[in-house]
Tab-separated table of all heavy atoms in Angstrom:
chain	number	residue	atom	x	y	z
H	520	GLU	N	-11.707	-28.098	-18.982
H	520	GLU	CA	-11.685	-29.383	-18.282
H	520	GLU	C	-10.441	-30.196	-18.605
H	520	GLU	O	-10.157	-31.190	-17.928
H	520	GLU	CB	-12.925	-30.190	-18.666
H	520	GLU	CG	-14.222	-29.548	-18.218
H	520	GLU	CD	-15.433	-30.235	-18.823
H	520	GLU	OE1	-15.233	-31.199	-19.584
H	520	GLU	OE2	-16.564	-29.812	-18.531
H	521	ALA	N	-9.681	-29.809	-19.623
H	521	ALA	CA	-8.485	-30.559	-20.007
H	521	ALA	C	-7.395	-30.439	-18.943
H	521	ALA	O	-7.458	-29.601	-18.044
H	521	ALA	CB	-7.970	-30.040	-21.348
H	522	ASP	N	-6.405	-31.314	-19.044
H	522	ASP	CA	-5.261	-31.220	-18.134
H	522	ASP	C	-4.569	-29.876	-18.316
H	522	ASP	O	-4.244	-29.478	-19.442
H	522	ASP	CB	-4.269	-32.350	-18.421
H	522	ASP	CG	-4.818	-33.708	-18.024
H	522	ASP	OD1	-5.715	-33.742	-17.153
H	522	ASP	OD2	-4.363	-34.716	-18.591
H	523	ARG	N	-4.348	-29.193	-17.214
H	523	ARG	CA	-3.717	-27.872	-17.265
H	523	ARG	C	-2.554	-27.844	-16.283
H	523	ARG	O	-2.681	-27.325	-15.175
H	523	ARG	CB	-4.743	-26.784	-16.942
H	523	ARG	CG	-5.793	-26.584	-18.048
H	523	ARG	CD	-7.067	-25.961	-17.512
H	523	ARG	NE	-6.800	-24.805	-16.670
H	523	ARG	CZ	-7.711	-24.265	-15.861
H	523	ARG	NH1	-8.930	-24.783	-15.802
H	523	ARG	NH2	-7.407	-23.227	-15.130
H	524	PRO	N	-1.432	-28.408	-16.650
H	524	PRO	CA	-0.313	-28.504	-15.709
H	524	PRO	C	0.221	-27.161	-15.233
H	524	PRO	O	0.779	-27.060	-14.138
H	524	PRO	CB	0.757	-29.277	-16.515
H	524	PRO	CG	0.379	-29.087	-17.945
H	524	PRO	CD	-1.119	-29.009	-17.961
H	525	ASN	N	0.066	-26.112	-16.042
H	525	ASN	CA	0.617	-24.804	-15.680
H	525	ASN	C	-0.322	-23.967	-14.815
H	525	ASN	O	0.127	-23.046	-14.120
H	525	ASN	CB	0.960	-24.013	-16.944
H	525	ASN	CG	2.096	-24.634	-17.721
H	525	ASN	OD1	3.062	-25.129	-17.143
H	525	ASN	ND2	1.988	-24.635	-19.040
H	526	THR	N	-1.611	-24.247	-14.873
H	526	THR	CA	-2.578	-23.387	-14.182
H	526	THR	C	-3.564	-24.140	-13.294
H	526	THR	O	-4.457	-23.532	-12.725
H	526	THR	CB	-3.369	-22.551	-15.206
H	526	THR	OG1	-4.031	-23.433	-16.122
H	526	THR	CG2	-2.458	-21.617	-15.978
H	527	ALA	N	-3.417	-25.459	-13.154
H	527	ALA	CA	-4.357	-26.223	-12.327
H	527	ALA	C	-4.301	-25.799	-10.860
H	527	ALA	O	-5.286	-25.936	-10.125
H	527	ALA	CB	-4.081	-27.719	-12.457
H	528	PHE	N	-3.157	-25.266	-10.434
H	528	PHE	CA	-3.018	-24.845	-9.030
H	528	PHE	C	-4.015	-23.754	-8.660
H	528	PHE	O	-4.319	-23.557	-7.480
H	528	PHE	CB	-1.588	-24.337	-8.783
H	528	PHE	CG	-1.278	-23.024	-9.444
H	528	PHE	CD1	-1.450	-21.823	-8.756
H	528	PHE	CD2	-0.827	-22.967	-10.760
H	528	PHE	CE1	-1.167	-20.610	-9.361
H	528	PHE	CE2	-0.544	-21.761	-11.373
H	528	PHE	CZ	-0.708	-20.578	-10.686
H	529	ILE	N	-4.524	-23.045	-9.657
H	529	ILE	CA	-5.400	-21.908	-9.381
H	529	ILE	C	-6.680	-22.342	-8.683
H	529	ILE	O	-7.196	-21.645	-7.817
H	529	ILE	CB	-5.718	-21.155	-10.691
H	529	ILE	CG1	-4.442	-20.501	-11.238
H	529	ILE	CG2	-6.802	-20.097	-10.472
H	529	ILE	CD1	-4.623	-19.873	-12.600
H	530	TYR	N	-7.213	-23.503	-9.053
H	530	TYR	CA	-8.453	-23.965	-8.430
H	530	TYR	C	-8.217	-25.140	-7.474
H	530	TYR	O	-9.154	-25.838	-7.099
H	530	TYR	CB	-9.489	-24.346	-9.492
H	530	TYR	CG	-9.077	-25.437	-10.451
H	530	TYR	CD1	-9.325	-26.779	-10.168
H	530	TYR	CD2	-8.443	-25.128	-11.646
H	530	TYR	CE1	-8.950	-27.774	-11.043
H	530	TYR	CE2	-8.063	-26.114	-12.536
H	530	TYR	CZ	-8.320	-27.438	-12.233
H	530	TYR	OH	-7.943	-28.429	-13.116
H	531	GLN	N	-6.957	-25.338	-7.062
H	531	GLN	CA	-6.616	-26.399	-6.124
H	531	GLN	C	-5.804	-25.823	-4.966
H	531	GLN	O	-4.592	-25.990	-4.882
H	531	GLN	CB	-5.820	-27.508	-6.839
H	531	GLN	CG	-6.605	-28.230	-7.913
H	531	GLN	CD	-5.760	-29.216	-8.696
H	531	GLN	OE1	-4.533	-29.262	-8.585
H	531	GLN	NE2	-6.416	-30.046	-9.509
H	532	PRO	N	-6.446	-25.070	-4.082
H	532	PRO	CA	-5.718	-24.457	-2.960
H	532	PRO	C	-5.152	-25.515	-2.021
H	532	PRO	O	-5.760	-26.565	-1.808
H	532	PRO	CB	-6.797	-23.616	-2.276
H	532	PRO	CG	-8.087	-24.277	-2.642
H	532	PRO	CD	-7.889	-24.804	-4.032
H	533	ASP	N	-3.968	-25.235	-1.498
H	533	ASP	CA	-3.341	-26.155	-0.547
H	533	ASP	C	-2.554	-25.347	0.476
H	533	ASP	O	-2.686	-24.106	0.556
H	533	ASP	CB	-2.431	-27.148	-1.279
H	533	ASP	CG	-1.394	-26.456	-2.168
H	533	ASP	OD1	-1.141	-25.246	-1.950
H	533	ASP	OD2	-0.848	-27.109	-3.071
H	534	THR	N	-1.748	-26.032	1.255
H	534	THR	CA	-0.981	-25.358	2.308
H	534	THR	C	-0.038	-24.312	1.735
H	534	THR	O	0.146	-23.228	2.307
H	534	THR	CB	-0.168	-26.390	3.109
H	534	THR	OG1	-1.061	-27.376	3.652
H	534	THR	CG2	0.580	-25.713	4.254
H	535	PHE	N	0.556	-24.613	0.585
H	535	PHE	CA	1.491	-23.656	-0.019
H	535	PHE	C	0.787	-22.355	-0.410
H	535	PHE	O	1.402	-21.293	-0.419
H	535	PHE	CB	2.166	-24.281	-1.241
H	535	PHE	CG	3.310	-25.183	-0.896
H	535	PHE	CD1	3.169	-26.556	-0.972
H	535	PHE	CD2	4.519	-24.663	-0.469
H	535	PHE	CE1	4.222	-27.391	-0.636
H	535	PHE	CE2	5.584	-25.484	-0.140
H	535	PHE	CZ	5.425	-26.863	-0.219
H	536	SER	N	-0.492	-22.445	-0.753
H	536	SER	CA	-1.238	-21.229	-1.100
H	536	SER	C	-1.249	-20.259	0.074
H	536	SER	O	-1.009	-19.054	-0.085
H	536	SER	CB	-2.671	-21.590	-1.495
H	536	SER	OG	-2.703	-22.458	-2.598
H	537	LEU	N	-1.495	-20.788	1.262
H	537	LEU	CA	-1.522	-19.943	2.455
H	537	LEU	C	-0.130	-19.445	2.803
H	537	LEU	O	0.048	-18.276	3.157
H	537	LEU	CB	-2.117	-20.715	3.625
H	537	LEU	CG	-2.196	-19.958	4.958
H	537	LEU	CD1	-3.056	-18.703	4.805
H	537	LEU	CD2	-2.747	-20.858	6.053
H	538	VAL	N	0.873	-20.325	2.694
H	538	VAL	CA	2.251	-19.929	3.022
H	538	VAL	C	2.711	-18.792	2.124
H	538	VAL	O	3.269	-17.787	2.590
H	538	VAL	CB	3.198	-21.140	2.886
H	538	VAL	CG1	4.657	-20.689	2.997
H	538	VAL	CG2	2.897	-22.174	3.955
H	539	VAL	N	2.470	-18.923	0.819
H	539	VAL	CA	2.885	-17.879	-0.121
H	539	VAL	C	2.138	-16.578	0.150
H	539	VAL	O	2.717	-15.482	0.089
H	539	VAL	CB	2.659	-18.341	-1.572
H	539	VAL	CG1	2.889	-17.190	-2.551
H	539	VAL	CG2	3.582	-19.499	-1.907
H	540	ALA	N	0.839	-16.673	0.467
H	540	ALA	CA	0.057	-15.475	0.766
H	540	ALA	C	0.604	-14.760	1.996
H	540	ALA	O	0.702	-13.526	2.026
H	540	ALA	CB	-1.405	-15.844	0.966
H	541	LEU	N	0.977	-15.520	3.015
H	541	LEU	CA	1.538	-14.924	4.236
H	541	LEU	C	2.873	-14.237	3.932
H	541	LEU	O	3.121	-13.107	4.372
H	541	LEU	CB	1.719	-15.996	5.307
H	541	LEU	CG	0.438	-16.588	5.897
H	541	LEU	CD1	0.758	-17.787	6.788
H	541	LEU	CD2	-0.327	-15.532	6.699
H	542	LEU	N	3.734	-14.921	3.192
H	542	LEU	CA	5.033	-14.330	2.853
H	542	LEU	C	4.866	-13.085	1.988
H	542	LEU	O	5.558	-12.079	2.184
H	542	LEU	CB	5.896	-15.364	2.130
H	542	LEU	CG	6.310	-16.595	2.943
H	542	LEU	CD1	7.069	-17.576	2.066
H	542	LEU	CD2	7.143	-16.194	4.145
H	543	ALA	N	3.942	-13.151	1.036
H	543	ALA	CA	3.703	-11.994	0.168
H	543	ALA	C	3.126	-10.831	0.959
H	543	ALA	O	3.439	-9.665	0.679
H	543	ALA	CB	2.759	-12.383	-0.964
Side-chain angles (χ1 to χ4, degrees):
E520 296 170 0
D522 291 336
R523 290 157 48 195
N525 293 321
T526 58
F528 70 93
I529 293 173
Y530 59 90
Q531 296 174 350
D533 54 19
T534 303
F535 279 105
S536 300
L537 179 60
V538 171
V539 172
L541 291 171
L542 295 176

